[in-house]
Amino acid sequence: MAEDGREDLEARRKRLETELGSRRKDEVSEQAKTAASAKDRKEMSKGLKLSSEFMAAIFVGFMIGYLLDRFAGTGPWGLIAFILLGFGAGVLNVLRSVGYVAEPEDRLKKDGE
């Protein structure tokens, strides 16, 4: 009789171990999904920030060029020049945000050392 009770307890213990193991795997997979979705949202927000900085620089260049042409009568040349300057400024802002180009203050500190 004692052996039957022990075998029954052993079978129950193994069943509980498998159930706990499967639940732990589910919890780990849920945590991994949550971490992945948080990372995706962070990367999406970074992409939106970079694209908005780029488009804003081009828009500012367009507006300055348009207003210059409108009030100074320089024809399309002010618009063309300031759109190109806005494009260059947008590219520079994106490269600074990503980290490919150092900020001006960082470069001055590096040169002073």
Side-chain angles (χ1 to χ4, degrees), residues 13-30:
R13 186 184 63 81
K14 287 182 181 180
R15 189 179 72 236
L16 284 172
E17 281 181 3
T18 57
E19 286 179 18
L20 284 174
S22 67
R23 289 188 183 184
R24 286 184 185 144
K25 288 179 185 176
D26 291 343
E27 288 177 11
V28 169
S29 66
E30 284 296 320

Side-chain angles (χ1 to χ4, degrees), residues 65-79:
Y66 176 77
L67 291 173
L68 179 71
D69 286 344
R70 179 98 171 155
F71 294 113
T74 58
W77 300 112
L79 184 65

Side-chain angles (χ1 to χ4, degrees), residues 28-49:
V28 169
S29 66
E30 284 296 320
Q31 290 173 350
K33 287 178 185 177
T34 303
S37 67
K39 184 179 179 184
D40 289 344
R41 285 192 304 270
K42 184 178 178 182
E43 294 298 322
M44 178 67 83
S45 68
K46 188 175 182 180
L48 287 172
K49 176 187 169 222

Side-chain angles (χ1 to χ4, degrees), residues 49-50 53 89-112:
K49 176 187 169 222
L50 292 176
E53 284 182 6
V91 169
L92 186 61
N93 285 339
V94 168
L95 290 176
R96 281 185 185 153
S97 294
V98 172
Y100 287 128
V101 176
E103 295 288 332
E105 297 86 24
D106 295 339
R107 285 185 287 181
L108 290 175
K109 288 178 187 175
K110 188 177 180 182
D111 290 341

